[in-house]
Amino acid sequence: MSANAPEKLTKKQLSADHPTWCPGCGDFAVLASFFKVLEKLQYPQEKIVTIAGIGCSSRFPYFVNSHGLHFIHGRALALATGVSLSRPDLHVFVFGGDGDGFSIGGNHLEHCARKNINLTYVIMDNYVYGLTKKQTSPTSKLGYKSKTDPTGAIDQPVNPMKKLISAGASFVARSHASQVKHMMAMYERAILHPGFSVVETLSECVVFNGGSFDDSNPRKGGVFETIDEEQHDVTDQHAAFAMAEDQYPGKFGVFYQQERPTKNALEQKWIDDSQARLGGEADPKDLLRKRFAVMK
Amino acid sequence: MSANAPEKLTKKQLSADHPTWCPGCGDFAVLASFFKVLEKLQYPQEKIVTIAGIGCSSRFPYFVNSHGLHFIHGRALALATGVSLSRPDLHVFVFGGDGDGFSIGGNHLEHCARKNINLTYVIMDNYVYGLTKKQTSPTSKLGYKSKTDPTGAIDQPVNPMKKLISAGASFVARSHASQVKHMMAMYERAILHPGFSVVETLSECVVFNGGSFDDSNPRKGGVFETIDEEQHDVTDQHAAFAMAEDQYPGKFGVFYQQERPTKNALEQKWIDDSQARLGGEADPKDLLRKRFAVMK
Amino acid sequence: MTIAADEPPVQGSDHSELSTPPLQDLQNAVIRFAGNSQDGIQTIGGFLARLAGRSAREVMTYMTIPSTISGGPSIFQVHLGSGEVLSAGDDTDFLVAFYQHSYDNHLSSLRDGGICIYDTDFVEPDLSDKRYEFIGLPITSTTIEAIGGSTKSRGKNMFVLGLVTSIFQLDRDKLVGIIERQFGKKDESVLRNVMLAFDAGYAYPIGDVYKNRFSLKAGTSTGSDRVTTDGNTALTYGLLAGGVRFGAGYPITPWSPVMEVLRSELPKYGGLFLQAEDELAAVSAALGYAYAGHLAVTGSSGPGLSLKMEALSYASMAELPLVVINVQRGGPSTGLPTSVEQSDLMQAIYGSHGDAPRVVLAPQDVEDCFYIAVEACRIARKYSTQVIVLSDQALSSRIEVFDEPDWDAVVVEDEGPALEDRPDDFKPYPLDGDTRHAPPGAKMLGGKYPVVTGLEHDEWGHPSANPEMHQKMTNRRRDKLKRLMEEIPTPEVFGDAKGDVLLVGWGSTYGPLREATGLLRDQGKQVSHMQIRHLHPLPKDLGEVFDQFDHVIVAEMNDEGLYGQGQLATLLRGRYANPKIKSITKTDGLTFKIREIVAGVSEHTGNA
Amino acid sequence: MTIAADEPPVQGSDHSELSTPPLQDLQNAVIRFAGNSQDGIQTIGGFLARLAGRSAREVMTYMTIPSTISGGPSIFQVHLGSGEVLSAGDDTDFLVAFYQHSYDNHLSSLRDGGICIYDTDFVEPDLSDKRYEFIGLPITSTTIEAIGGSTKSRGKNMFVLGLVTSIFQLDRDKLVGIIERQFGKKDESVLRNVMLAFDAGYAYPIGDVYKNRFSLKAGTSTGSDRVTTDGNTALTYGLLAGGVRFGAGYPITPWSPVMEVLRSELPKYGGLFLQAEDELAAVSAALGYAYAGHLAVTGSSGPGLSLKMEALSYASMAELPLVVINVQRGGPSTGLPTSVEQSDLMQAIYGSHGDAPRVVLAPQDVEDCFYIAVEACRIARKYSTQVIVLSDQALSSRIEVFDEPDWDAVVVEDEGPALEDRPDDFKPYPLDGDTRHAPPGAKMLGGKYPVVTGLEHDEWGHPSANPEMHQKMTNRRRDKLKRLMEEIPTPEVFGDAKGDVLLVGWGSTYGPLREATGLLRDQGKQVSHMQIRHLHPLPKDLGEVFDQFDHVIVAEMNDEGLYGQGQLATLLRGRYANPKIKSITKTDGLTFKIREIVAGVSEHTGNA
Ligand SMILES: Cc1ncc(C[n+]2csc(CCOP(=O)(O)OP(=O)(O)O)c2C)c(N)n1
Ligand SMILES: Cc1ncc(C[n+]2csc(CCOP(=O)(O)OP(=O)(O)O)c2C)c(N)n1
Ligand code: SF4
Ligand code: SF4
Ligand SMILES: [Mg+2]
Ligand SMILES: [Mg+2]
């Protein structure tokens, strides 16, 4: 690849290390869909940033040949907030699991959502802790037998859609790793949404939670029920919340979308206003001199 | 007070140090209401436990003459989880501010709610960081001028009712420190609710956010609109969510209540089942011997 | 140090030489199985270890975990011995290579003259390599044939186990008993297939050639079967024996197994373990149990420990008892989650903000994981303090054999919260006495109820910013650990009480250090060894012990830092300001090899 | 050490003695205002400090913050001097007591012969106490009278300021200028009332008696007005001068003012400061800026620092640059949020899990807060490392006077992310060179984009569990700080380069230690002083400096620990294993008094 001739960005260029995921893991399909969307959107390769915490799914950045960062467990969104706020030129993507996002990282998700940080977050939800080998996760179904719930999970799981909607996320969707086209559509819409966009993607952990999403996988005899946006007004938060109540496996598609100012824009406005008041970008030395004059 | 003669528990006995709050702070009324409810409920004094994190409001335990614990910022609910789960004989109360509960402690709130830990949590919400002297809090209104938002707050605030409802709290109510009777009613119902019960109580910080709740204080020309439970079915989560959408100052009363098994009960059941399978409480030495036999 | 020294080593790999078997009556054998983690090599390693426990043999195992999630290259090494087995072995005597990559990566682990058994279905060895002996056999195809094809190559591990049993003349019947106990619970056909594979390996003709060459000496029987388990398991049951009934944690490698077993076991004891949303919640909930009057445990590995530092600072101020387990792994950050390292010692002592004194202990082997856990419980209770136990990745997963504890002597009955009435003059933090909390539920006869706080406070626990009070309370929190110091026994010195070199270590380096010391002593060097199990406070009379040696050399698996000293070495120098104290360190994620220690000692003593 | 020594001290409080004023021409004066925090005593203290800056005088202030939220007893102490002012003063020369509790609690702060000015409306002094002189005047009622009753007692502070201006013959015009600048922005009536109160105090007859007694010598003018500010402010502008444009934090006392000013100021510089939901998010977001190619800052006080330990371990592994401020306060836990302590040093160095080398610096006075921040930025950039700056509560709020920085020399232009293309052979972590990240936005001409990780990795940043690689990379992360060590200047020794005692300190103890050294030297003792600003790595040739002294005594505001050594003393002994290194410690939440240091030195040297 030459630096000067802008070539078409292809899956080949975007592919990095071969994923270390187990054969059959749902995460492969998420990766493939992401590549396809990027091929479509043709962002400059160097402007793409993938960020993740810790987990099987969070190994994502290694498998994408773009700038990437593999952070600590649960804090990827907080780190990505810094990247997004300070670098409006970048396309910021965060990938991670249900444990990373809803357990240890649950609070950052809330605050990213209400602040409407401009980035796209894909939760690869397998209803289990994969990397640490089968402990109950916040989305594990009641009765699920894991190493930490040998007699079956007893804690009511998080409802990701409800959580995201009420936290104030401005784009909230749900998809399934067995449905590549659907994933692509969701990711694309999420990426094009200005603000904090989230796609919860059911992604089967074949090793520790095999068959968990068969109910919504037509190839496994399940039903993949998508949201009919003729019927569902995606800007209606109450309708979205009501739909989130549906029993598992529930519906797939965009639950909620509402444009509102991003923190990125609001902070930039403050910067612009401050500098305008000073008559444009000021020399730091002058700013410092002025402030020190007052301290005399 | 003698240890043997069970006397009536009075406000006098329940009063400890004189609160260090500023004169006029809303928190005084919360304390007074709490005393009155305890006078009514007549729990044994030694079985009452008040737990708090850090903040003006979190100084609460010092002012109640009961067993108490003043913990670190944001983790009171997590600590109280340990107390509640291991000591079913106690009445566990957690008090704290909006910063403590919705900012640094936001995740523990979520998980306490979904697990339905048996305790009562009163959020003394003053829409500001009081103890650290006026920084924007997660409930500060847009435009509120603080030391960290000198030109006015720009982050969309948390909607406490939405957050609590969607997290799975089984009793969610809202009250106002200017309305002692209402607070008493809410606290009493919260306490009698089996499971995780929360009362967000607007409590004015007269020093850093004076007048913030006048709109809902009839004595200041506002309207205190209570929820009519003839009209509102408290077990209807969607209705509760819809009501939470009301513009500030919104309604006061019980938004949502639904009995479901507490984690306390579910864990106890597991203990009971395990012990039943062993033919009742076993001698630890026998249990250990049995396990070690298998390792030979 | 693994093959009995009076046997001449085998040279070359010309099979004809083997007609008169030169090796017999092994005291020790180090066998490395190298394959993929899916091959179940851990399983057969475990069987061999358990057999050792039943044969009055010592054993130590060592394994690696693949970095890919789906499995991948992995080894399991078993060191079997009739004498004391102190390490997993620097070099291996036997390598069983399942794949080409196993062969390529592990051949160099064989000692000169060692034997490489390989699967001819997958491995093409360089037979011209005269350093080793090679024995090829079609492991995969023979297994498939034996089982009947349906389960494909599953069962290779059992084939190899049969082979090993035959080569080393192990007790087939005992082993089959162990296998049956394990697989008997499952579907009958499973056990049948397992035994088919095992027997195929046991009967495989190539085994005959070696049958009479290696007979692993049995140890002196102690009469009863011994316990065979890993460090995490020993630690977990130590906590139960110590009276822990409540715990909270969050999964992380290699700590998770401790919490998983506690979560399953505690309900039987009337307690419970909470899987919290994160480590911050876990330590907080554990302090909730402590406040409620229970002895509780929390734990994690490095990253999780960092998250607990604030709450542990609270615990120090409030003087709440707590046992905290840190199963250390390679750092910093996510580092090397499945490698061993001892780089969290400084954090254990100093990681919290403020002067937050707490106790730090480290078990020296698998058996000690049990006893140190019991002791941690005792200290936490007695001094109402936090005790951090520093185990590590190597200890956590390696298997050793030890005697069953004397339960009557060791088990502490959990008395539950002390709910008796408290007198008028009750003070939780008396300036002249021990901390004693009144948990909720206890009546205060004076009418005034206590508040436990992280603010500085007076004897009654009331917040106080009084300068004198802060000074006194800081002293008090420190002095209680000084009282503990008085009761810590001086660690035993292995070897002579005076001499040229005192080798000092802590934690899981015990075995290699002791073995290296033995070797050096055998060479006539005046070297002794001391393993420190109490790291904070340190035992009180170390200075006097050190005075008897010309060199005090501290070996540890962490970095030498900016000034050339490992973490314990820094602490010892900080305490004794004794320039004799020197450091051997390394951070390669592997346990010490004997030769690394020997080399380090020569370097510091100038005897190259 | 405050009143010029050739003046005989005043004895008794018989006012008739005062007809011939015995005190004149003060070089120094320590004035303590004791009242409630609502009385605005901080305001007048600030005015006096600023006036000093404009009068070529030195100044140092000291204040306490009430533990109640609504305000309460509080003091503000001003040490004004025409010579060097190094501490806020052990004892006060003048006490202004607003209330009985002010009188009761602070009278003992007066030196023998000191003067107590009290408000007769509230205070009943014990006039028979012959150690002090007493001057009573109806401060409250006179103020109310002057202003006209409406604002009640508000304005008492300005009355007292007027009084002090008259007593010490301060430059009234300059002071009025400063007052006008402050209050001029507000409602006109405010300034009028302020001036009414001020003038009433200035003109109050009792002042006349003393007018000629105390005339505070002006210093040698440097021509231009000097800067008067507190440590937090100096630190904040140091960060801006050093090129920091992005930051993230969470409020906590006494760190909050730093983040508040950054949040207001950064937009002007084109940057921004994020108020995060907690400290975990704050440090993570700051690392996000760093990854994005910006020099960033995060900060907190003790509890918040504990929460940052995991992410800082990541930063060490990933080698991301970051400046981290810790404005230390009394610990452990919530401790004493408004008291001073230096007990986070060990945590700063060793608080993260794993071997996570990072830099630790500490400013020695208010001016140095500025320069150390600039240096922190430089080091973080140059070595792509984390720099923790240990300020403290005393430094944060005390006011000093210093020369305006030479902006042209000091300001670092922020160059923003380095987005140039990276060549084929780009390696972020070369084994033989400096770490250089390619931030997102930079094109990789080799076609392969980097992933920054907390796993151990190779030169390209790819995760690697290879033993040798872990060893090499650990060395690399350590060795870059050793390179930094080479460029750290040996701290200047005040006094002779050899002698009996070298007093060593770090951070805000600079002033008291220097003053104590001066005092001891005046007494003919061979005492020198060194303040260490670079704590990790330590400067390289300290050993040689120490060799020139019989005693090396380290004084610090933290606990002596289990082995009788403070935190820096432990580090120095750990490094040099030199038993000459001894410790003076205390944890009473107060800055060192000169006499405490003097006593500590005598104790260690045996010259009582
Ligand atoms: C602070 C910290 N705590 C715990 C861990 C261990 N850990 C790594 S991944 C993980 C959870 C994995 O589950 P999830 O996020 O759902 O991802 P998955 O593997 O299922 O894709 C945990 C607990 C860690 N690395 N750091
Ligand atoms: C880990 C940590 N971070 C920050 C603080 C500082 N702090 C104390 S209270 C508080 C917030 C107070 O606000 P809130 O919880 O709303 O209580 P309020 O004072 O308003 O009642 C903060 C940030 C702390 N004590 N510990
Ligand atoms: S363990 Fe589960 S989630 Fe992880 S890679 Fe394997 S299948 Fe996927
Ligand atoms: S600062 Fe505000 S919240 Fe705090 S005590 Fe005062 S009025 Fe109440
Ligand atoms: Mg998962
Ligand atoms: Mg608040």
Side-chain angles (χ1 to χ4, degrees), chain C residues 303-318:
Chain C
L305 260 289
S306 282
L307 290 174
K308 292 181 203 281
M309 287 299 138
E310 191 204 359
L312 289 178
S313 189
Y314 177 91
S316 185
M317 179 60 108

Side-chain angles (χ1 to χ4, degrees), chain D residues 116-175:
Chain D
C116 172
I117 299 166
Y118 61 93
D119 186 346
T120 51
D121 293 330
F122 287 106
V123 184
E124 279 190 34
D126 171 11
L127 292 173
S128 69
D129 189 335
K130 291 295 168 203
R131 291 171 300 168
Y132 315 114
E133 254 184 280
F134 294 96
I135 306 175
L137 65 172
I139 296 176
T140 305
S141 44
T142 315
T143 305
I144 294 178
E145 204 181 284
I147 300 186
S150 65
T151 50
K152 287 193 290 175
S153 61
R154 294 275 186 99
K156 283 201 295 199
N157 59 338
M158 298 310 299
F159 178 93
V160 166
L161 184 63
L163 192 75
V164 166
T165 308
S166 125
I167 292 178
F168 292 100
Q169 307 219 323
L170 300 174
D171 187 328
R172 183 182 180 282
D173 292 346
K174 268 194 187 156
L175 194 57

Side-chain angles (χ1 to χ4, degrees), chain D residues 92-108:
Chain D
T92 58
D93 303 307
F94 299 88
L95 170 69
V96 183
F98 283 68
Y99 304 105
Q100 191 66 35
H101 65 73
S102 326
Y103 169 86
D104 292 343
N105 294 330
H106 296 284
L107 192 66
S108 64

Side-chain angles (χ1 to χ4, degrees), chain A residues 20-28 55-57 124 126 128-134 203-209, chain C residues 69-70:
Chain A
T20 45
W21 293 314
C22 310
C25 177
D27 296 352
F28 283 101
C56 293
S57 40
M124 294 146 85
N126 57 8
V128 70
Y129 285 9
L131 189 67
T132 47
K133 303 187 190 299
K134 202 178 193 176
S203 175
E204 184 179 332
C205 172
V206 291
V207 177
F208 299 122
N209 205 1
Chain C
I69 299 143
S70 50

Side-chain angles (χ1 to χ4, degrees), chain C residues 302-608:
Chain C
L305 260 289
S306 282
L307 290 174
K308 292 181 203 281
M309 287 299 138
E310 191 204 359
L312 289 178
S313 189
Y314 177 91
S316 185
M317 179 60 108
E319 301 188 51
L320 288 169
L322 192 68
V323 176
V324 184
I325 309 298
N326 179 358
V327 186
Q328 299 169 97
R329 56 189 225 182
S333 197
T334 318
L336 295 109
T338 55
S339 298
V340 68
E341 201 161 285
Q342 300 184 301
S343 54
D344 297 348
L345 173 59
M346 280 297 195
Q347 183 195 48
I349 301 173
Y350 293 119
S352 293
H353 67 280
D355 287 299
R358 58 192 174 216
V359 179
V360 181
L361 309 178
Q364 60 187 27
D365 56 21
V366 170
E367 178 175 24
D368 199 28
C369 284
F370 178 88
Y371 291 103
I372 216 104
V374 173
E375 185 172 359
C377 296
R378 183 189 72 78
I379 293 174
R381 274 200 189 88
K382 175 162 176 189
Y383 294 96
S384 205
T385 191
Q386 310 80 54
V387 183
I388 297 186
V389 175
L390 292 177
S391 179
D392 64 40
Q393 187 273 342
L395 267 183
S396 74
S397 59
R398 83 180 188 214
I399 297 173
E400 293 180 27
V401 171
F402 57 92
D403 290 329
E404 182 166 354
D406 173 353
W407 299 112
D408 293 324
V410 98
V411 170
V412 178
E413 294 294 337
D414 171 49
E415 308 205 328
L419 297 185
E420 70 276 8
D421 293 351
R422 297 301 194 275
D424 249 47
D425 59 349
F426 175 78
K427 293 189 251 181
Y429 305 102
L431 281 173
D432 54 0
D434 291 337
T435 302
R436 16 167 213 176
H437 283 287
K443 270 193 191 139
M444 308 304 295
L445 299 186
K448 177 79 192 117
Y449 281 80
V451 177
V452 172
T453 177
L455 289 165
E456 187 56 285
H457 44 252
D458 60 20
E459 297 181 270
W460 290 269
H462 297 160
S464 162
N466 177 291
E468 229 177 298
M469 189 53 65
H470 182 39
Q471 183 68 62
K472 281 184 185 156
M473 284 290 164
T474 304
N475 298 352
R476 201 178 159 279
R477 287 187 289 269
R478 173 227 308 142
D479 288 343
K480 72 178 180 182
L481 294 206
K482 285 180 124 172
R483 286 202 299 283
L484 166 62
M485 181 154 67
E486 292 301 315
E487 60 172 82
I488 295 174
T490 310
E492 169 219 358
V493 173
F494 168 78
D496 300 309
K498 57 194 301 170
D500 188 26
V501 173
L502 180 69
L503 255 177
V504 175
W506 64 278
S508 70
T509 58
Y510 166 77
L513 288 177
R514 179 70 41 113
E515 194 170 317
T517 305
L519 191 83
L520 288 163
R521 292 180 69 81
D522 288 351
Q523 293 173 5
K525 305 263 165 68
Q526 290 191 321
V527 177
S528 301
H529 169 223
M530 169 192 273
Q531 197 73 2
I532 303 185
R533 299 165 69 243
H534 298 82
L535 294 160
H536 200 245
L538 289 161
K540 64 177 185 311
D541 342 284
L542 294 179
E544 285 85 328
V545 179
F546 293 173
D547 284 346
Q548 307 305 312
F549 293 87
D550 297 333
H551 302 274
V552 176
I553 301 179
V554 187
E556 45 193 327
M557 296 182 285
N558 54 41
D559 188 46
E560 62 177 60
L562 291 176
Y563 315 121
Q565 315 294 340
Q567 299 191 9
L568 176 60
T570 298
L571 291 170
L572 290 171
R573 289 164 63 98
R575 174 168 186 183
Y576 294 109
N578 185 341
K580 282 197 304 204
I581 302 170
K582 295 281 163 52
S583 209
I584 300 177
T585 60
K586 69 161 191 168
T587 56
D588 60 2
L590 304 173
T591 51
F592 267 115
K593 296 204 186 310
I594 311 306
R595 75 173 77 93
E596 291 170 337
I597 298 163
V598 170
V601 169
S602 324
E603 207 177 289
H604 279 303
T605 55
N607 320 333

Side-chain angles (χ1 to χ4, degrees), chain B residues 56-57 96-100 124-131 137 139 205:
Chain B
C56 292
S57 40
D98 40 322
D100 195 71
M124 295 145 86
D125 194 352
N126 56 11
Y127 291 15
V128 69
Y129 286 9
L131 189 67
S137 99
T139 49
C205 172

Side-chain angles (χ1 to χ4, degrees), chain D residues 43 88 93 128 324 420 438 475 485 506 539 569 579-580 600:
Chain D
T43 311
D93 303 307
S128 69
V324 183
E420 70 278 6
N475 298 352
M485 181 153 67
W506 64 279
K580 280 197 308 205

Side-chain angles (χ1 to χ4, degrees), chain D residues 223-246:
Chain D
S224 69
D225 292 341
R226 302 173 77 207
V227 179
T228 309
T229 197
D230 60 41
N232 266 352
T233 308
L235 183 75
T236 308
Y237 287 98
L239 293 170
L240 291 169
V244 165
R245 294 295 175 265
F246 290 90

